[in-house]
Each structure stands twice: as structure tokens, then as C-alpha cells.
Amino acid sequence: MKQTKKLFQALLIVIIVGALLAVAGCGKEIAVQEEMAPMQKRDKAAPKKKEQSLTVDQKDMLKQLGTPKEAETLAGAPAPATERQEVADEGFNTEEYDKINENQFKDARENPLSTFSIDVDTASYTNVRRYLASNHLPPKDSVRIEEMINYFTYDYPQPKGDHPFSINTEIASCPWSKEHKLIHIGLQGKKLDYKNFKPSNLVLLVDSSGSMSDQNKLPLLKQSLKLMLDELDDRDRIAVVAYAGSAGLILPSTPASEKNAILDALDSLQAGGTTAGGAGIQLAYNVAKENIITGGNNRVILATDGDFNVGVSSTSDLVRLIEEKRKDDIYLTICGFGMGNYKDGRMEQISNAGNGNYFYIDTIKEAEKVFVKEMRANMFTIAKDVKIQVEFNPARVKAYRLVGYENRLLANEDFDDDTKDAGELGAGHTVTALYEIIPAGSDEGVRKSGDLKYQETKIKEGVSQSNEVMTLKFRYKPPKQETSLLIQQTLEDRDVEVSRSSENFRFSAAVAGFGMMLRDSKFKGDLTFQQLAALAKSSLGDDTDGYRAEFLRLLDTARLISK
């Protein structure tokens, strides 16, 4: 099918070129002779036909039709070979994903501490959905399991007391390894009265470069931002900055109630030029700082495919730029659009560096989810630099591994260091993490470091009698403070079958298992799509928006593609 499509494209090029040459008066009728010998003699004697070139208008027409550059000199030439088109087509897709080194099991005696930052990004799940919708399995490194799990909300209780989130833990058998157990950790951000929210100072930083011309890029981006306008009021302010070749202020900070002016600014954006991402980010942060609202929600919303290619454009330079700008207490939201040249790894790193969150918008329905249904949770931070540290009891746990969060791991020393950046929690947000553990007493082999010469590891007396499987520590900062607060609690060991666990537990485990299968993880065991579907069906809960039902359809699509 793919080969037929390429041949058809080549044939179409030849037909178009021939038609254009005919219009230009280049086509000459050649009489066909009845006898072969005279025709051959005449061919030898005939003067060589002069090669015809296309006019500027004809070249432009071919370009608009999406034909290769070589078509500009195709007059009188044969169509490019199919093999050459194959190489060109493969080179056209320049999507980039950072390599993920999957977390391994760690010996609980040698490495009792596990530390990581929370992550509320969801971009990986919608990107995976985009691939499956086109009947392709996603690249392995595009699958970040924590973002797939956290795409969904979970039914955790609202927090009580002074802290802005509740902490929920659960332990049961592991669905993909019967000899192991799975630990579920869930945070529930406090839902706030939206009427009492502080006003917002938003700067929309829009990539209007040539790479954003596709229908699922700039046109969808403009539709998405228009949805957000209905969620704001006259206390909120919006500015629009665009960058293409060079950055420019399209609309100064304007009350959100002046919708016509804002809509006109968005409608004026046209795709064209190169991508001066660094310059655009600089200008957007300057505009946000000039209009900062003390105690308000000050945020830059960057909408792009991530294909920066002018000025400050390397990922490391952009990360350093964002790290510097976050000191002004201005948050960052990144919304990715499009396919073909999508730079996922770059946008994830920038988001992590900028006190931000990261979404991938593949449809107008996803735009509604991000900018309407979950806009307050996505845009209003109630706790920043949220870190989790788990200490496992080696008397109960032989080894453990964190499922996902490979890009959010922290050094154990970073937990108490308030200068180390971590993730943010929005109003009403849920965050979920899973640990797979090998129980103490298991005969299963675990990687260990070599014997130490100068010290030895001992378990404290009395610990073996404790039923605690782990101690959980949380650190977070209130949005306007730079000193963190500590919360601590423990989890008791229990023998519970996964079928008797909570809906939260079962559904998050099903999503994690799906991620492992898409990544072809060595830890997936003999897991099947059918098993995951049964687990998810048993835990759909109050699926008002149909997101969990859609997950079931994606499972089935992946099953069919994988055959």
C-alpha cells in the first residue's frame, strides 16, 4: 500500500509537469511512422531536443502541491526512482524522543532510599493515542509511563488540615508478576473555590513559523486558545507574543473581557519563516514580568512543535534560559502540536526546568480537556517543588523499582535541599506513582554491588518485628515561600489480591501495564492486552467524560496492530 502510494505520487508529478509544459507551448506533436527503419534513421539524424525549464509560477505551483524539490528540473526528465523517494520519505519524519533507561530493581538493603519529583505532565499519553489512531505503535521512548498514569484523575479524598493535598497509599499483588507486590501512592490536590482565585497574567507565546502551517498545528492551536478565553474574566489579562524568524508582540497585556481584540490578534497569526524560539521566550517572560500580578497566577503558555532553529535553539541553552527566568516566579505551560517534526524531548526538558507542565494537543477535544475542563488545575499552582522520598524496610522488602518517572529521579541528598527544583501540584490535581516490590524472603536473584571492605550494612534491632513496608516522606513549598514543609507517614504490609484492591489501584496498574507492553519492557512478564482490558473494565468507575472507555479502545487497537 505504501509502495503504491509512492508510485502514484511519482506519476502525479510527471502528469503535472507534462501539463505545465503543454500550457507553456513546449509540447510538440511527433508523427509516428509506420515503418521502423525510416523512423530509426530519422531519430539518429534529428537534432537533440533542447531541455525545457519551468517558469517561476510553475515552480510555485509544484511546491504548493507538495512535490519534491527535484520537480523544479523535471521537464523532459524521468520520475525519481521509487527507492529514492523511500529514503526521502523516511528522512521527512524528524520527530525526536529522548532515550528512557527503564528503572531497574534495587536491593533494599544497599539502596533503601528512593527519591523523585512528582510529574503532572500528560503529553506522552496523548502522543501515544495519536500514533495508535494512525494505526502505528508509538516509538518506545515516546512512552513515559508516569504521564500515561497521570492523564487520568483518581478518586482520592480531599485533604483535611493545613496541607494542600491528601496522601493515599495501598498495597496488593502485582498483576504482571504474581510473586511480587505493587504499592500505589496517590496525591489529591485541594479543590479551591474558583470565585476566590487570584487573577491571571497570561502571556500566550505562539510559534507561527513555517513548520506550524499544518491543520493540526497553528489552526488547531488558535482554536484551542479561543476555548480558554471563555474560562477567564475581566480580572484576568492576556498578551500575545509570536515568533517566526524574529519575535514580536502581537497584543499587549489586555483584559480578558476584551475578547474581540484578543480573537483578532489570534486570527492575524499566519505560519511562515524560521523558528526563533529563544528570542520568543525572552520576550514572553519580559512581557509577563512587566505586567506581573502580585500574588496572582503569572504564567507563560508556550504553544509549539518544538522545532526551534534560529538563535538560542539547542535544548541545553533553552533549559538554562528557562531556569533563569523561573526565578521571577513566573510559571510555564507548554502545549505541543503536530507531527512529523515534533521535538518531544526538548519540550519535556524545558517544561521540567520552568516550574511548568507539558501537554500534547492532538484534537480539539483534548484542547477542551486542557483549557476548559481542567484549566484551573493546570494553570493554578497550590504546591511547588513537591518531592517524594521512600525508605523501604529491608525486613519486608528484598528489592523495589519505581514504575516510570525515569526523567524525574532525584539524588537522595536533593530531598532536603530546598534549592533543588521539583514538580508543581495544581488545584484539584491528582498525582499517582507505583512501586513494584519483591518481598523479603523471596528466592529471586537481585543485582547487588560487591562486598565492602570497610563497612557493612545491618538492620536495626526490632525492625524485623515491624509490619511497616515503608516510610513515605513528602516535601513541598507553598507557592509564595522558599522553605519547604515536611509530611511523613508509613504503609503497613498486607496480603491482598489485586482483584480486591481499589478501583484506583486496578486502573492505574492497567495503564502502567499498557505502558510496559508498548515499551516492550523486560518486566512485563507474560502480560497480555486481554488481561489489561479485563483489569481496566473492572475499574472504570464514574467515567463521566469517557476517558477510561477510550483507554479500553486504545488497548484493543494496540492488540490488533501488534498481531
Side-chain angles (χ1 to χ4, degrees):
M1 178 116 179
K2 188 174 181 182
Q3 188 82 350
T4 303
K5 183 177 179 182
K6 295 181 189 302
L7 290 172
F8 176 77
Q9 289 174 340
L11 181 60
L12 180 61
I13 292 170
V14 175
I15 293 172
I16 293 170
V17 172
L20 290 172
L21 291 175
V23 172
C26 296
K28 290 186 178 181
E29 184 176 347
I30 298 175
V32 178
Q33 305 301 316
E34 294 180 0
E35 278 136 20
M36 182 66 69
M39 184 184 72
Q40 290 174 341
K41 289 179 181 179
R42 190 158 43 251
D43 284 343
K44 290 178 181 178
K48 190 173 181 179
K49 189 175 180 179
K50 184 178 179 181
E51 185 181 36
Q52 302 293 327
S53 61
L54 303 179
T55 67
V56 173
D57 290 340
Q58 291 165 347
K59 290 178 181 179
D60 288 342
M61 185 180 296
L62 285 174
K63 287 179 180 178
Q64 290 171 10
L65 288 168
T67 56
K69 278 189 175 181
E70 290 81 4
E72 294 179 9
T73 57
L74 273 176
T82 303
E83 183 177 349
R84 186 178 178 186
Q85 283 191 329
E86 182 74 31
V87 173
D89 286 348
E90 288 176 357
F92 177 74
N93 190 323
T94 59
E95 295 193 9
E96 295 178 4
Y97 300 95
D98 289 346
K99 180 175 174 55
I100 296 175
N101 295 308
E102 190 172 26
N103 290 329
Q104 306 295 305
F105 277 105
K106 290 192 173 184
D107 184 278
R109 283 177 177 260
E110 295 183 348
N111 301 282
L113 294 177
S114 173
T115 309
F116 65 99
S117 161
I118 69 163
D119 188 357
V120 295
D121 298 345
T122 63
S124 180
Y125 180 83
T126 46
N127 195 28
V128 165
R129 180 176 65 194
R130 185 251 298 186
Y131 272 98
L132 293 175
S134 63
N135 298 320
H136 291 88
L137 292 175
K140 292 179 182 179
D141 289 323
S142 72
V143 182
R144 293 187 291 274
I145 294 176
E146 71 279 7
E147 293 185 22
M148 296 186 67
I149 294 171
N150 287 316
Y151 180 83
F152 303 93
T153 57
Y154 297 88
D155 187 23
Y156 303 134
Q158 277 294 300
K160 297 177 181 179
D162 298 331
H163 298 295
F165 51 87
S166 67
I167 303 168
N168 308 274
T169 56
E170 187 175 358
I171 185 170
S173 60
C174 181
W176 52 84
S177 183
K178 294 180 180 179
E179 304 303 318
H180 297 176
K181 292 184 178 181
L182 200 62
I183 293 174
H184 177 109
I185 302 170
L187 304 183
Q188 173 65 62
K190 187 176 183 180
K191 294 179 181 178
L192 303 179
D193 183 357
Y194 294 159
K195 294 179 181 179
N196 296 328
F197 268 131
K198 296 289 185 181
S200 294
N201 162 36
L202 304 178
V203 179
L204 308 181
L205 176 54
V206 179
D207 180 353
S208 58
S209 62
S211 67
M212 289 289 289
S213 60
D214 294 345
Q215 189 63 34
N216 62 356
K217 293 187 179 181
L218 186 58
L220 177 58
L221 185 161
K222 292 194 283 189
Q223 290 176 314
S224 303
L225 295 178
K226 288 175 183 179
L227 292 177
M228 185 180 68
L229 282 179
D230 292 332
E231 301 303 305
L232 305 175
D233 58 33
D234 56 2
R235 301 179 306 151
D236 303 314
R237 302 185 68 84
I238 290 182
V240 180
V241 172
Y243 58 95
S246 61
L249 180 61
I250 305 300
L251 180 74
S253 187
T254 302
S257 56
E258 296 183 21
K259 289 186 179 180
N260 288 337
I262 299 170
L263 291 174
D264 287 344
L266 292 175
D267 287 335
S268 71
L269 298 173
Q270 299 294 327
T274 51
T275 313
I281 291 171
Q282 288 269 19
L283 179 57
Y285 272 92
N286 289 342
V287 172
K289 190 173 181 179
E290 289 169 2
N291 297 279
I292 202 159
I293 299 174
T294 304
N297 175 34
N298 300 286
R299 185 176 295 268
V300 172
I301 301 175
L302 169 58
T304 179
D305 59 10
D307 192 10
F308 306 147
N309 51 34
V310 172
V312 178
S313 58
S314 75
T315 300
S316 58
D317 287 342
L318 288 166
V319 166
R320 280 191 287 269
L321 173 62
I322 293 295
E323 286 175 339
E324 184 64 29
K325 294 299 181 182
R326 78 181 180 212
K327 296 176 183 177
D328 293 327
D329 205 24
I330 298 170
Y331 291 86
L332 176 67
T333 291
I334 295 183
C335 297
F337 289 82
M339 62 184 72
N341 64 333
Y342 189 62
K343 310 302 182 190
D344 171 83
R346 172 175 294 168
M347 290 191 283
E348 191 207 9
Q349 288 188 49
I350 294 173
S351 169
N352 291 345
N355 283 349
N357 42 24
Y358 169 35
F359 308 96
Y360 177 76
I361 311 293
D362 58 338
T363 64
I364 194 64
K365 291 297 291 181
E366 184 63 22
E368 181 188 35
K369 180 178 186 289
V370 172
F371 290 118
V372 178
K373 294 180 179 178
E374 299 177 7
M375 195 273 281
R376 301 293 172 177
N378 294 331
M379 301 294 173
F380 288 85
T381 299
I382 60 173
K384 66 181 183 180
D385 293 338
V386 183
K387 306 171 188 175
I388 297 177
Q389 186 170 78
V390 177
E391 180 183 358
F392 289 96
N393 178 2
R396 290 284 174 177
V397 178
K398 182 174 185 176
Y400 66 87
R401 74 176 190 96
L402 179 60
V403 181
Y405 288 91
E406 285 86 359
N407 297 339
R408 305 295 278 176
L409 298 178
L410 297 172
N412 293 329
E413 297 81 7
D414 291 343
F415 183 72
D416 293 324
D417 186 350
D418 282 348
T419 67
K420 295 296 183 180
D421 182 60
E424 280 63 50
L425 185 68
H429 250 148
T430 63
V431 178
T432 301
L434 302 176
Y435 278 98
E436 181 180 357
I437 66 170
I438 301 174
S442 169
D443 294 330
E444 186 172 344
V446 177
R447 291 193 316 166
K448 293 185 178 183
S449 58
D451 294 334
L452 298 178
K453 181 177 180 180
Y454 301 109
Q455 59 181 317
E456 59 182 14
T457 303
K458 290 185 178 181
I459 300 177
K460 290 182 178 179
E461 292 184 11
V463 169
S464 57
Q465 277 70 51
S466 172
N467 198 40
E468 293 178 3
V469 67
M470 69 180 192
T471 295
L472 204 55
K473 296 179 181 179
F474 294 82
R475 279 201 179 276
Y476 77 95
K477 299 173 188 172
K480 303 303 175 184
Q481 295 184 22
E482 295 305 320
T483 302
S484 66
L485 303 176
L486 175 66
I487 309 174
Q488 191 168 304
Q489 69 180 51
T490 59
L491 173 66
E492 300 284 315
D493 197 6
R494 296 179 63 197
D495 291 321
V496 179
E497 289 298 320
V498 67
S499 60
R500 300 181 64 83
S501 64
S502 68
E503 288 184 345
N504 292 331
F505 187 103
R506 297 197 303 279
F507 192 80
S508 63
V511 179
F514 186 37
M516 286 193 292
M517 291 196 69
L518 292 176
R519 287 190 52 77
D520 193 25
S521 167
K522 69 178 183 180
F523 300 113
K524 71 181 186 302
D526 56 0
L527 201 57
T528 67
F529 289 113
Q530 291 89 336
Q531 290 172 334
L532 293 175
L535 192 62
K537 284 178 182 177
S538 74
S539 52
L540 291 179
D542 185 16
D543 189 28
T544 305
D545 295 309
Y547 299 138
R548 296 191 177 194
E550 179 189 57
F551 172 76
L552 283 172
R553 293 192 292 273
L554 294 184
L555 269 175
D556 196 49
T557 299
R559 176 184 65 84
L560 294 171
I561 296 173
S562 299
K563 283 189 173 181

